[in-house]
Amino acid sequence: MKSIGLFTLGLLVAAGISVAPAMHAADPVKPPAESKEADKAAEAAGKAVPFQGKVSAVDAAARTFTLNGKTTARVFKVNDATQILLNNQQSDFKAITVGELVRGQAFKRADGWEAKKVMLGPKEEAAPKK
């Protein structure tokens, strides 16, 4: 009786060893699409996104400016870390005026857009190569 129990135990252990590699060889479980999108959003949260347009409104008290898009307006917050350039020279928030053409990079935050860099005026043409 005791030998039958050991024999059965040996078979179960052998079966477990032969099945274990097959289980590990299978494709890993793929996360649902929702978590992939969440990962992309989290990754994009750390990267600055380019913007360009004409300023449609400026709020000096809140230190924001607005660009009108095709479907919606975007409000950009300017803080002390924001780099503002006018003719490739450091400038301040007062240089941002309604009707001014601006371009730059901004971070998408939960509460809106945070400007990283704002360049005022049209993009300068590159010097022709000789």
Side-chain angles (χ1 to χ4, degrees):
M1 181 80 155
K2 200 174 196 181
S3 63
I4 293 176
L6 290 175
F7 179 74
T8 305
L9 180 62
L11 284 176
L12 290 174
V13 170
I17 291 172
S18 65
V19 172
M23 291 174 61
H24 292 291
D27 290 335
V29 177
K30 294 182 180 179
E34 292 176 29
S35 68
K36 284 184 181 180
E37 290 173 15
D39 290 347
K40 286 181 183 179
E43 183 178 306
K47 294 182 182 179
V49 177
F51 66 86
Q52 178 176 325
K54 282 191 178 183
V55 177
S56 61
V58 176
D59 183 349
R63 291 183 51 100
T64 63
F65 65 93
T66 304
L67 299 180
N68 286 335
K70 291 180 182 178
T71 58
T72 183
R74 292 186 292 171
V75 177
F76 295 88
K77 295 178 186 176
V78 175
N79 58 30
D80 294 335
T82 302
Q83 184 181 15
I84 301 173
L85 299 174
L86 176 62
N87 298 325
N88 290 328
Q89 300 294 320
Q90 189 67 31
S91 188
D92 60 0
F93 183 79
K94 294 176 189 175
I96 302 173
T97 58
V98 174
E100 183 77 35
L101 182 62
V102 297
R103 64 191 188 286
Q105 297 91 32
F107 296 107
K108 177 69 173 163
R109 304 289 188 213
D111 60 343
W113 291 94
E114 179 184 315
K116 174 184 175 186
K117 184 175 185 179
V118 180
M119 295 172 280
L120 304 167
K123 189 173 183 177
E124 296 177 7
E125 295 293 324
K129 293 183 179 182
K130 292 182 180 181

